[in-house]
Structures are given as C-alpha cells and as structure tokens.
Amino acid sequence: MSTTATKLVEMRGLKVAFDGVQVLHGIDLDIARGEAVGLVGESGCGKSVTWLAALGLLPGKPSVGGSVKIDGQELRGAPRSALEHIRGGRVAMIFQDPSSSLNPVLKIGGQITEALAIHRGLRGEAAKKEAWRLMDMVGIPDVRRRFDLYPHEFSGGQCQRLMIAMALAGEPDLLIADEPTTALDATIQAQILDLLISLRAETGMATVFISHDLGAVSQVCDRVCVMYAGRIVEEGSVGELFANPRHPYTRGLFDAIPSIDGPRQRLIPIAGTVPDPRSLPQGCSFSPRCSRAVEACRHELPPLVSIGDGRWLACTRPVSQAPIVVETKGWIAEGAMQ
C-alpha cells in the first residue's frame, strides 16, 4: 500500500463473496494522484473483481465489504446518483474487448457525445468539436469523416482507442485499464501502451493497469501489486520488484517469461492452477504449488507486511535476494543483489 500523502483512492479491507463463496479476502490499496499502479497475476486472482466491486459494477447480488474512498468520499453504500457521478466522471474504466463495450448499432460520434453530455454537460456543436478533439488525441485519423461511422468500420486497435476517448470524455482523475491490449497484435499493443503513457503525462490522471503482461506493466507503471487467490501477496516499485521478486509466486511469473537472447531453454512453468475459491488451502493459498513450502505454510496464512523501501510481502519463506534479468518489450530490469 502506498504511503504517499496525496492519496486519490484509499481501499481498506475490500472483500467480495458470491453466493457465500469469498473471492476477495481484504484488499488494502492506495492510489496517489498521477500514479500508475499495475495489478498482475493469473486469471482468477481477483484483479478485475477488485475494481468492479469498488465501482459497484459487479453483476448479480454479491456481498461486498470494506471501504473504498476517492478524495475521502466513501463509495461503498453510496446512493446510485453519487456513484453515477463518480463512474465516468472521477473514475473511468476501459476493458480488454472493445467490440463488446461499444454499442454496434450506434455511431461512434453519438457514443462519445453521450458521455460528454452526461459528464460535462456539452451538447450540440460544442460536444461534436470536443469529440473530434478526443478522437484526434487518441490517434484516430480523419476524425470529421469517421465521426459518423459505426464500430464495425474501425479496426480492433482503433476501437480500443475510441474506448479510451470515451473514457477521457469525463476528464477522470483515475483511468482503470483492464487488460486493454489482450486482443491486439504486438504492434498495436505497443501503440496503445505508448498512448496510455502519453495521455497520463498530458492529463496528470492516475492509472491502474490490469494485465498478465509483465513487460507491458514495466512500461506503463510506477508500482506493481501481485495478486493471488483474492489477495495481494507482493507489492513494490517496478524497479525494485522486477529486479528482486521475493514471493515465490512472483518469481515463478518471471521464470516463465521466455528469453529473447541467449540459448534456447525450457520455460519453468508454475505447476498447478489458481485454487478454486470454494476450497482454498487452509494456510498460504500458494503453498500447494510452491517448491519452498514447509508444513507451517500449509497451516498459517502469512499477512502482508512491510519489508522496507516501500516493499510489502506476504510470505514466510521468501526467495533469497538473487540477481535477475528480465527482458521485456524495450525494457530490461537488472538486479545486482547480494
């Protein structure tokens, strides 16, 4: 959790259960103004559920507990009118599949101007000109002509750019990007990442980047939270955590990354899968897959504690401080540890 004084978001003890099955087990997380935070982990770890719960967007009737505040305003239990002001206005979210997020029977221009009308009160010619500006900002060419096109007339990468334009329509303080590059090819992924970086620099908004891609996280984020089975198990700055991952799960994620240079070697996968939330292990949830686990790990749940230098760790038998070199897209983390 961040110790920054200028907190935008404060999350404390966030818990979620579906039909009595606990899937989030008390998430504590702070986001500072202008900060970029990455959430990484395998599918089913609770990354997306954390923010859907925070914004009241979970389907059905889940049981949600804990506290989520933005600028001191409590979102948990807030009336619908207050949440509608926050969602899209203060906090915007983009998803990994833009084709399912854009309305296929409405023109793009109408979808962007609708967001402008709701969150900024712009209508008519003023809304159209602002929509053109947003489309141009995210890299859509020939905006005046394409304003009246339908989503299917754009490529996948352009649809994702349009989703980002809609998210920016409310001038949010926080942008949550939920695996926004998953369905795109490598070249378009790099363009979307560059766009997110430049938009953050231009607007000063904070960013939460949810991804499986450690290379993408290294490019976009200042701080990283590693999630496993509904809990944060390690947290730290990108430089520190990438150079010296201490949790066995985090280290396993790095060991499974193929090396671009050097001899061809077999990848080292993490055995097994994320446990079913209906039958979690009694102690550390990662213990059945962990080569360092001892008997105590199977009976005692380690708390998330500070280990200094802004690092947080939930493990009783952390990985020793060993050198690690991680090759990612245009970025190399090197650790010269003792």
Side-chain angles (χ1 to χ4, degrees):
M1 62 191 73
S2 172
T3 57
T4 309
T6 55
K7 294 176 183 176
L8 174 65
V9 176
E10 296 179 78
M11 192 179 294
R12 293 291 179 271
L14 183 64
K15 298 181 179 180
V16 176
F18 295 101
D19 297 325
V21 178
Q22 200 82 16
V23 295
L24 281 190
H25 302 271
I27 302 296
D28 293 338
L29 181 63
D30 294 336
I31 309 293
R33 292 184 177 278
E35 184 182 26
V37 177
L39 289 186
V40 301
E42 295 167 281
S43 295
C45 288
K47 306 183 298 297
S48 299
V49 168
T50 297
W51 289 99
L52 292 173
L55 296 174
L57 294 173
L58 287 174
K61 295 183 178 180
S63 172
V64 181
S67 171
V68 181
K69 295 181 180 179
I70 179 165
D71 272 345
Q73 180 182 355
E74 180 63 64
L75 302 188
R76 283 275 304 109
R80 183 184 178 117
S81 58
L83 286 177
E84 288 179 347
H85 174 72
I86 295 293
R87 296 191 298 232
R90 302 295 307 280
V91 182
M93 193 166 185
I94 57 176
F95 301 93
Q96 67 184 66
D97 184 8
S99 61
S100 64
S101 301
L102 295 169
N103 191 323
V105 300
L106 296 180
K107 295 177 180 179
I108 284 298
Q111 297 187 56
I112 298 176
T113 53
E114 180 184 21
L116 290 168
I118 292 172
H119 297 298
R120 290 165 59 185
L122 296 179
R123 290 176 173 80
E125 195 64 22
K128 181 182 287 189
K129 288 181 178 179
E130 179 63 7
W132 289 345
R133 187 187 72 84
L134 291 171
M135 291 173 68
D136 183 67
M137 180 187 291
V138 298
I140 300 296
D142 195 9
V143 295
R144 297 191 180 210
R145 181 181 65 83
R146 308 192 83 185
F147 180 83
D148 289 320
L149 298 183
Y150 291 93
H152 72 270
E153 297 177 273
F154 294 84
S155 68
Q158 288 175 335
C159 283
Q160 192 60 280
R161 290 171 183 269
L162 291 167
M163 282 299 304
I164 295 172
M166 290 178 65
L168 294 176
E171 298 181 325
D173 297 310
L174 172 64
L175 176 66
I176 301 168
D178 189 357
E179 302 189 38
T181 62
T182 297
L184 308 176
D185 64 50
T187 302
I188 304 302
Q189 284 184 28
Q191 293 174 3
I192 295 297
L193 294 179
D194 288 341
L195 175 61
L196 291 174
I197 293 168
S198 63
L199 289 175
R200 178 186 164 215
E202 290 176 23
T203 64
M205 65 182 176
T207 305
V208 172
F209 188 73
I210 300 171
S211 181
H212 297 93
D213 189 337
L214 293 168
V217 169
S218 74
Q219 288 182 271
V220 175
C221 300
D222 305 317
R223 183 161 54 98
V224 186
C225 299
V226 181
M227 292 191 68
Y228 187 79
R231 292 184 174 91
I232 294 176
V233 296
E234 187 168 9
E235 180 181 338
S237 68
V238 164
E240 286 287 332
L241 190 142
F242 274 55
N244 182 29
R246 300 300 308 278
H247 198 284
Y249 176 63
T250 311
R251 183 68 195 228
L253 294 177
F254 284 108
D255 287 343
I257 299 175
S259 175
I260 298 174
D261 299 323
R264 294 179 62 182
Q265 297 177 338
R266 284 186 174 274
L267 299 181
I268 307 173
I270 303 174
T273 59
V274 178
D276 189 320
R278 292 169 293 189
S279 55
L280 289 177
Q282 181 179 351
C284 173
S285 297
F286 186 62
S287 60
R289 307 173 68 187
C290 181
S291 60
R292 299 179 58 80
V294 295
E295 193 60 28
C297 299
R298 297 179 175 86
H299 299 286
E300 300 173 9
L301 180 64
L304 185 67
V305 297
S306 173
I307 57 174
D309 296 326
R311 297 288 301 274
W312 295 78
L313 182 66
C315 183
T316 55
R317 300 201 71 227
V319 177
S320 60
Q321 297 187 16
I324 183 172
V325 176
V326 180
E327 298 182 37
T328 56
K329 299 172 184 174
W331 189 94
I332 298 180
E334 297 189 36
M337 301 297 174
Q338 61 187 20

